[in-house]
Amino acid sequence: MTSLSPAPGTSPVQGLHHLTVMASDPQRNVDFYTQVLGQRLVKVTVNFDDPGTYHFYYGDRTGQPGTIMTHFPWPGARRGVRGNGEVVALAYSVPAASHVYWQARLAQHGLNATASTRFGQPVLTFEDPDGTWIELAFDDGVPVQPWPASPVQAEHELRGFHSVTAWVRNTDAVRQLLVGHLGFSEVGTEADPQGPRTRFRGSGDGVGLFVDVVERPGQPRGTFGAGSVHHVALRTRDDAEQEAYMASLSEAGYRPTPVQDRQYFHSIYFREPNGVLFEIATDAPGFPDDEAVEELGRHLKLPAWFEPQRAQIEAHVPRILNREYGVTIGRRNLNSQPGPAQAEPEADGHGVQVLTAGRPLADARVAMVLLHGRGGTAADILSLEREFNLSAFTYLAPQADGNTWYPQSFLAPLAQNQPHLDRALATVDAVMSELAAQGIPASRVVLGGFSQGACLALEYASRTPGLGGVVAFSGGLITLDQTGDLSGTPVFMGVDPRDGHIPLSRFEETVANLRARGADVDARVIPGLGHTINADELNAARAVMQGIAGAMG
């Protein structure tokens, strides 16, 4: 199968840009990737969606695209479970003559490596400290910029990425994305212990050319946690090409995010139908953009918008030692922190089931509470967590009895929905109380909902000022007689002007009521939306959430 030029203004994707993984202990992570694998810590910064969490970048001397392994360390986080819908392994390219050297080095560090052959090349597979599968593919790949201070001898150093492996339910969905829209070519398929393995090749001639997909129909999805791959990033040459890809992917129904400024590259994110999260990242400006090559990895680097919070951020992030330079970064002593996060209960103590996703509750500082619509389920609306793609948040979704919060339309006389409405409001209040008990006050919570759940979210916010934000997908206020001060509360509301469940007049009355009480309302009337949620609404909701997370410092 030949590669294609998938859209006007684009050329076929070159290959891999970087991989982002969740870790637990930050010092252990730094030591493994620098001292065992011999990579350079090219940048120490923070998660731009959660500035209280580190973001480590490892790579060759300057962190060229195709060499960049990145980690978000969440101290005490529970380990993830591999499954469908995610990347499960990263392979580095290694000189073929280094096979014996690396077998001995891994054994010296107590790592059990499994040998195999893949598409005719020898491969060693082992786990990093959090259980991420790391692989060495011995293929004499293209050399990268050597790191003179690496503890690995120069002739044996890793040569950037070789490939990633994703587990999926259906390979054809990935084929349509990679070959049909991004210009990869299909190399072939071979047997794998988990199922047929199909290899796709990017158009470049350097490092990080391959995406392998293993088809595992009927197998469970992965559970995100320490050691899980958050996303895989593919390379694009510049901002203009990235914009063209964003337009073509939107037209194809992939719902990419708006461009995100990641300081060292620009990014868009989207999922393919199996659930694998992809990013398309630009090559520029690169890691030496804000510090000299000789200084890479010595300092905590922050984007300009976080510099006013530097003292607060440095006090919150854990103290780490970069052994390459003998310098310490951060000031928080992890020994004084609580132990590993425990599994959250599925009930709030009042007999209501509450499903959770995202960041473990014990490790989160911001939360989103999601309320499903009439006839929906907590599991349905909790799936929005994957669309928001904001790792700072813990997500909670209570389940209404009988899948309905109250029996009649939200416009019915109030008495017709009682006592069910009061019980529904009490359920939300119980979830909010549990969050407060866990150290997350209402000011750090975004309350969101769809349809009946959106109406309930707006009503709760109207009666309980002080929320961090409100997101209402197709909803309106149940009552218009509340008078509490909502000054500064960000609210997003979206509706179709012909929505049969949410009259436009009630939507407009709701907007006027909230604005009169000081709320900062982003209200959008969206022709053709129907009674559903579109990509623009998800982006607007994400903006509300990012505002809360970013303000935390």
Side-chain angles (χ1 to χ4, degrees):
M1 187 177 296
T2 59
S3 62
L4 308 172
S5 182
T10 68
S11 56
V13 167
Q14 299 154 276
L16 305 174
H17 186 283
H18 69 267
L19 195 75
T20 294
V21 184
M22 178 180 167
S24 55
D25 185 278
Q27 185 65 62
R28 187 175 64 176
N29 183 262
V30 169
D31 289 346
F32 179 81
Y33 283 91
T34 62
Q35 302 304 297
V36 178
L37 296 189
Q39 297 292 276
R40 187 182 191 186
L41 180 58
V42 294
K43 190 67 62 177
V44 180
T45 183
V46 294
N47 182 336
F48 291 176
D49 298 321
D50 177 19
T53 297
Y54 278 124
H55 195 175
F56 297 146
Y57 293 85
Y58 307 96
D60 67 358
R61 183 170 180 264
T62 61
Q64 293 184 105
T67 74
I68 310 163
M69 182 71 153
T70 95
H71 287 85
F72 297 134
W74 295 351
R78 293 167 296 174
R79 182 168 288 196
V81 179
R82 297 182 195 94
N84 282 1
E86 63 182 6
V87 170
V88 298
L90 167 74
Y92 286 97
S93 175
V94 184
S98 299
H99 196 280
V100 173
Y101 171 88
W102 276 101
Q103 282 182 315
R105 182 173 183 82
L106 296 175
Q108 176 187 354
H109 287 277
L111 298 169
N112 297 318
T114 301
S116 62
T117 300
R118 188 173 302 162
F119 290 98
Q121 295 171 338
V123 175
L124 290 178
T125 302
F126 54 96
E127 292 186 347
D128 81 354
D130 288 303
T132 307
W133 272 339
I134 303 297
E135 298 181 324
L136 305 181
F138 297 91
D139 72 338
D140 280 333
V142 177
V144 296
Q145 297 175 353
W147 172 224
S150 173
V152 176
Q153 298 173 22
E155 65 269 27
H156 301 300
E157 281 187 5
L158 307 183
R159 293 188 170 182
F161 294 163
H162 175 274
S163 57
V164 295
T165 297
W167 282 354
V168 300
R169 179 186 70 258
N170 185 319
T171 298
D172 191 56
V174 186
R175 178 181 290 112
Q176 291 180 33
L177 169 67
L178 295 181
V179 177
H181 296 287
L182 301 180
F184 278 67
S185 59
E186 186 168 343
V187 174
T189 301
E190 68 175 21
D192 182 276
Q194 291 287 332
R197 174 184 290 267
T198 302
R199 173 162 289 178
F200 301 93
R201 187 187 192 279
S203 67
D205 56 5
V207 298
L209 299 180
F210 302 109
V211 173
D212 286 4
V213 177
V214 177
E215 189 170 75
R216 306 165 70 244
Q219 297 302 305
R221 295 183 64 89
T223 301
F224 189 73
S228 298
V229 175
H230 187 262
H231 64 267
V232 57
L234 308 175
R235 295 177 65 181
T236 191
R237 290 163 177 80
D238 54 36
D239 292 333
E241 185 171 78
Q242 184 181 68
E243 291 278 357
Y245 269 120
M246 183 167 64
S248 66
L249 290 167
S250 295
E251 185 176 351
Y254 288 97
R255 302 200 302 187
T257 67
V259 175
Q260 307 290 307
D261 183 357
R262 298 311 188 194
Q263 190 76 358
Y264 310 107
F265 44 85
H266 299 150
S267 303
I268 60 174
Y269 303 86
F270 58 95
R271 292 187 189 274
E272 55 79 45
N274 292 284
V276 179
L277 180 61
F278 283 91
E279 173 184 347
I280 293 182
T282 58
D283 284 356
F287 296 105
D289 185 60
D290 60 356
E291 57 184 337
V293 171
E294 293 73 21
E295 295 292 309
L296 292 175
R298 283 181 178 265
H299 316 283
L300 176 64
K301 303 301 295 184
L302 299 176
W305 58 90
F306 282 150
E307 278 295 344
Q309 303 172 50
R310 174 173 284 277
Q312 181 182 0
I313 291 171
E314 288 184 334
H316 181 81
V317 293
R319 182 183 295 108
I320 60 167
L321 171 65
N322 183 344
R323 302 184 196 280
E324 298 174 66
Y325 304 110
V327 298
T328 58
I329 300 173
R331 296 200 293 270
R332 180 162 64 96
N333 183 2
L334 282 180
N335 293 334
S336 65
Q337 299 305 306
Q342 301 300 313
E344 296 87 359
E346 287 196 338
D348 62 5
H350 297 267
V352 177
Q353 185 183 34
V354 180
L355 303 184
T356 62
R359 191 157 190 164
L361 180 57
D363 192 40
R365 298 184 298 148
V366 286
M368 186 171 204
V369 177
L370 291 163
L371 306 176
H372 64 78
R374 183 192 302 272
T377 67
D380 291 340
I381 197 156
L382 195 61
S383 67
L384 290 179
E385 175 261 340
R386 300 176 68 84
E387 301 287 348
F388 292 135
N389 185 31
L390 293 175
S391 59
F393 280 80
T394 186
Y395 298 82
L396 299 91
Q399 174 64 51
D401 186 27
N403 298 347
T404 301
W405 295 108
Y406 44 85
Q408 305 299 324
S409 163
F410 79 110
L411 298 175
L414 201 60
Q416 294 183 17
N417 279 320
Q418 295 292 23
H420 306 281
L421 176 59
D422 283 348
R423 289 175 182 166
L425 292 167
T427 294
V428 180
D429 200 51
V431 175
M432 298 294 295
S433 296
E434 176 61 24
L435 286 170
Q438 295 289 334
I440 305 177
S443 60
R444 301 183 200 166
V445 179
V446 177
L447 180 61
F450 170 70
S451 189
Q452 190 184 66
C455 298
L456 181 60
L458 288 166
E459 187 67 19
Y460 182 87
S462 178
R463 300 182 183 206
T464 315
L467 284 170
V470 185
V471 172
F473 300 117
S474 302
L477 279 170
I478 298 171
T479 64
L480 296 169
D481 56 358
Q482 305 298 321
T483 58
D485 184 8
L486 300 176
S487 296
T489 302
V491 178
F492 169 74
M493 300 174 58
V495 75
D496 187 311
R498 297 179 178 273
D499 191 315
H501 302 280
I502 311 296
L504 182 59
S505 59
R506 187 56 160 227
F507 180 87
E508 293 172 338
E509 287 178 300
T510 298
V511 172
N513 177 288
L514 298 176
R515 285 177 174 165
R517 296 161 62 190
D520 181 9
V521 182
D522 175 2
R524 305 187 191 184
V525 178
I526 309 171
L529 173 66
H531 198 63
T532 185
I533 303 170
N534 73 6
D536 288 341
E537 290 187 295
L538 291 170
N539 292 334
R542 189 183 296 109
V544 172
M545 298 166 69
Q546 288 174 319
I548 303 303
M552 285 297 301

